[in-house]
Amino acid sequence: MEITKIDSGTASATLEVTRDLANSYDTLHGGATATLVDVMGTLALLSVDTSKPGVSLEINTSYIAGVKMGSRIIAEGKVLAAYRTIGFTEITIKDADSGRLMATGRHTKAFPQKRPPLNA
């Protein structure tokens, strides 16, 4: 994966679908797609505040079309809203050549406040 942009609530990356990322149908594995939603949502949020990587509360992925092995994709994450304790992102995954939408996702993250140790 090559990160191509991280700036002001957005993050973009390109990726070639290799054998390691493919399922038995020679298309991008659903777990790899969900991982892209996770990573791109996190990168978009970090572009707003680098001190808040957060923890995932919810991730969803909609698979629109199969991505064949050997294809290049563009993954883009966008912050929908970021507050003190929670952030919301939206991610699109497109075929790099045709621009066809292949998958979408949403990623919600919590930004837990630091707690004192239990034995303090």
Side-chain angles (χ1 to χ4, degrees):
M1 183 168 83
E2 179 184 348
I3 306 301
T4 56
K5 176 185 168 188
I6 298 179
D7 183 46
S8 303
T10 62
S12 300
T14 60
L15 176 72
E16 181 178 346
V17 180
T18 62
R19 164 58 45 211
D20 291 339
L21 299 174
N23 58 27
S24 60
Y25 296 99
D26 291 337
T27 60
L28 182 63
H29 191 284
T33 304
T35 299
L36 277 172
V37 169
D38 184 354
V39 170
M40 297 311 296
T42 300
L43 289 174
L45 284 166
L46 285 170
S47 77
V48 173
D49 185 341
T50 59
S51 71
K52 292 184 174 181
V55 295
S56 296
L57 290 179
E58 183 265 344
I59 296 177
N60 72 61
T61 306
S62 296
Y63 304 95
I64 297 166
V67 182
K68 295 182 188 232
M69 192 168 55
S71 298
R72 288 198 65 74
I73 57 174
I74 298 169
E76 298 177 319
K78 178 174 79 170
V79 174
L80 300 176
Y83 303 107
R84 186 175 59 82
T85 60
I86 195 166
F88 303 88
T89 64
E90 181 175 66
I91 295 81
T92 58
I93 298 171
K94 297 179 179 179
D95 181 274
D97 293 327
S98 68
R100 181 178 180 197
L101 186 62
M102 308 308 276
T104 63
R106 293 210 176 203
H107 189 193
T108 304
K109 296 195 86 169
F111 309 124
Q113 304 303 304
K114 302 246 186 222
R115 296 182 184 170
L118 292 176
N119 59 358

